[in-house]
Structures are given as structure tokens and as C-alpha cells.
Amino acid sequence: DADVTQTPRNRITKTGKRIMLECSQTKGHDRMYWYRQDPGLGLRLIYYSFDVKDINKGEISDGYSVSRQAQAKFSLSLESAIPNQTALYFCATSDFRGRQFFGPGTRLTVL
Amino acid sequence: ELKVEQNPLFLSMQEGKNYTIYCNYSTTSDRLYWYRQDPGKSLESLFVLLSNGAVKQEGRLMASLDTKARLSTLHITAAVHDLSATYFCAVATFTNFGNEKLTFGTGTRLTIIP
């Protein structure tokens, strides 16, 4: 079984809808991250959490929110989706050594 | 704000040739990662470079870090088709509490031509 899983893997939605992307991990890591990937822009950090009680904004947090329900679960929400949030979203985890392990990604399309 | 620049952004090379991908960054850091991404796939960790002068090698790939020059290189030796992928560098910075964040470069899309 994969160590970092994301659901759904693909989602098509309409402008204005609320969307939640979920991430679960079995690696036992405290640190979890959400990134978005756009062509030609690499990965950009949306939010990160270093433990259950810690939530931090990344470089592009506007329009997004997160919830760390447990050590193993970190959800990303788009409160009112807009077309420029169409992207590939990755969840990642890391331990104290820092190396990050990525989930398979969620491809989100906002029409 | 930390800037991480990779070049080239696109690279087509023939099998058997050597080439180098460069990763420049704008602030002090002594920890850098290289990742590989195949089309439609997730990111796979290749190397972790933890200090100035660090060099890591795996097969036909070798990565190095020069923290004084704020430069890392990923060298490809005698390229083979299986190395076709997008390669990202990511520079680590630390929060006030000592927790690590990564800033990614834009990626280098490498295509190996038979």
C-alpha cells in the first residue's frame, strides 16, 4: 500500500463550488504539506503543518484552507473554486530529517 | 523571498551524451534536494545534499552542492532513454522553530533522444 494517499485522484467541478481534497499517510510523520503544480511554475507551497496543532500559510494560501484532523490526515479545501485554481495538487509528508515524500497527486479542473 | 532558478528549462539530448542541469538560489541554505517526476506521476526523491561540497551519485546521475556559490548541479553521464523526466531542485529554509520548508525550482524537462 502507498504510504501517502490522496483522494480524489481526479475532480472536475464548477466555479463557486466548495471542494475538499484529502490526504492520508501511514509513514507516521508529523509534518505534512500541500502544494500545487502548474506548468512552467514548479511546485508552490499552499499550506503546511508541523504537527496536529500547527497550521501555517505557504506562499499561495489565498482561496484555500486546511484542516489537520489527525497526525495522519491533512485536508485542503477550496471554499469557492475558481478556474485559475485548476492545477495538479500534491500532498507531502516529512520526518525530522526533512526529506519529503509525495502522494500521487489530485488533478483538479474548475470549469 | 527565496528564488530558485533552474536552467535549462527544457533539454533534449542524445543517448550517450553528458550534460548538466543547474540550480541557483538566492539565499543562504546548506540543504538541497533533487526530485524526479515522470509525466503524470508524483515526485520521487533522488538526492539529499546536506552541506557545502556534498556530492551524491546514483547510476548515471551525480548531484553536487556549492553553498558559497548558492549553486547545485545535476550531472547526467552517458544518458539513456529511461532518464527522460522532469527534474526539480528544492532548497530548504527553516522557520523560527527550526522546521524545514522547501522552495522548488521550476523544473528541467529532459528528453533523451535515441
Side-chain angles (χ1 to χ4, degrees):
Chain A
D1 289 337
D3 295 320
V4 185
T5 58
Q6 293 182 232
T7 56
R9 295 293 311 279
N10 290 282
R11 182 71 184 268
I12 299 173
T13 190
K14 294 182 179 179
T15 297
K17 294 292 187 181
R18 185 178 188 274
I19 296 297
M20 179 180 286
L21 308 182
E22 299 188 345
C23 177
S24 295
Q25 52 115 346
T26 58
K27 298 185 78 68
H29 291 167
D30 287 326
R31 302 167 191 191
M32 299 187 74
Y33 310 81
W34 275 106
Y35 295 90
R36 73 176 270 176
Q37 184 177 29
D38 298 277
L41 293 179
L43 276 75
R44 293 181 291 167
L45 184 62
I46 307 172
Y47 270 95
Y48 57 103
S49 169
F50 291 138
D51 64 42
V52 175
K53 298 179 181 179
D54 176 75
I55 300 288
N56 304 280
K57 292 182 178 181
E59 60 180 303
I60 54 162
S61 58
D62 287 349
Y64 301 95
S65 62
V66 290
S67 173
R68 186 79 185 266
Q69 301 95 321
Q71 186 203 39
K73 296 184 182 296
F74 193 35
S75 299
L76 176 72
S77 293
L78 287 67
E79 299 302 326
S80 180
I82 56 177
N84 76 2
Q85 291 178 313
T86 293
L88 187 55
Y89 290 83
F90 286 103
C91 173
T93 74
S94 71
D95 61 15
F96 69 94
R97 298 184 196 87
R99 188 173 71 161
Q100 295 187 15
F101 298 86
F102 286 80
T106 294
R107 186 169 298 278
L108 177 66
T109 302
V110 183
L111 301 176
Chain B
E1 180 186 346
L2 172 60
K3 300 284 187 187
V4 182
E5 294 183 346
Q6 284 183 241
N7 67 82
L9 298 183
F10 298 93
L11 175 58
S12 291
M13 53 189 294
Q14 287 187 315
E15 280 189 328
K17 299 290 187 182
N18 304 333
Y19 210 80
T20 301
I21 298 170
Y22 298 88
C23 174
N24 291 90
Y25 54 97
S26 63
T27 194
T28 301
S29 176
D30 59 3
R31 184 176 294 205
L32 188 141
Y33 300 80
W34 283 95
Y35 287 87
R36 168 182 172 145
Q37 184 181 34
D38 292 302
K41 302 293 186 181
S42 188
L43 279 76
E44 172 191 354
S45 177
L46 292 175
F47 299 110
V48 181
L49 302 168
L50 298 176
S51 61
N52 185 42
V55 177
K56 294 281 184 73
Q57 183 164 4
E58 178 80 27
R60 301 175 188 273
L61 299 178
M62 183 173 71
S64 66
L65 178 62
D66 181 343
T67 59
K68 293 180 181 178
R70 299 177 184 172
L71 170 69
S72 180
T73 61
L74 180 66
H75 186 73
I76 303 144
T77 301
V80 294
H81 181 69
D82 286 352
L83 292 179
S84 295
T86 299
Y87 293 86
F88 293 95
C89 64
V91 178
T93 54
F94 292 85
T95 69
N96 292 337
F97 297 101
N99 290 309
E100 185 176 284
K101 294 191 308 176
L102 296 185
T103 301
F104 281 79
T106 51
T108 296
R109 182 177 293 181
L110 173 64
T111 302
I112 308 298
I113 303 166

